[in-house]
Amino acid sequence: MGVGKSTVGRLLAERLGVGYRDTDDDIVAAEGRTIAEIFVDDGEPAFRVIEKRAVHTALAENEGVLALGGGAVLDADTRALLAGHRVVYLSMDVEEAVKRTGLNAARPLLAVNPRKQWRELMEARRHLYEEVATAVVPTDGRTPEEVTQAALDALELKEA
């Protein structure tokens, strides 16, 4: 959350001369409501079913840069599908997360005690991010352009 996946994803796509797609955007468009509304109205388990379907569809249809929501890797089938792709894990620490997002209530998984919940989420997910990652790119204190270049370098990709 707030790591810059959308910004960096768009920059990567532009620099590689390929398309960009974000599964969170796909979900919002298909459902006609925000991610937060889905969480509140239907709960996290229902959202994860929708997310899994969106990720699987996007992986099958997309040939460019694909940004995934932070919880997409919770699903074992999704992790297995990612194994055949170049995956960049954009990492950051909690202090950077506070600076970037304020850890506000618009983030449904961080509604109560955001710092503690962010740390707990990262402890539960970090190993999954690392499991699927081809490259880990720290984002702390870096501009989106610097993160984009680091991702290109880590993946040994050349700009279009």
Side-chain angles (χ1 to χ4, degrees), residues 62-81:
N62 186 53
E63 302 248 342
V65 175
L66 177 63
L68 305 181
V73 298
L74 297 173
D75 180 73
D77 293 337
T78 298
R79 291 194 308 276
L81 281 177

Side-chain angles (χ1 to χ4, degrees), residues 19-20 36 42 53 61 64 73 107 116-117 152 156:
Y20 169 79
D42 302 338
R53 188 172 49 244
E61 295 176 355
V73 298
R107 311 263 182 195
K116 178 178 182 260
Q117 287 179 301
L152 287 167
E156 299 178 352

Side-chain angles (χ1 to χ4, degrees), residues 116-127:
K116 178 178 182 260
Q117 287 179 301
W118 190 91
R119 282 189 183 100
E120 288 173 359
L121 277 175
M122 287 309 300
E123 286 172 20
R125 295 178 179 180
R126 183 174 284 114
H127 73 283

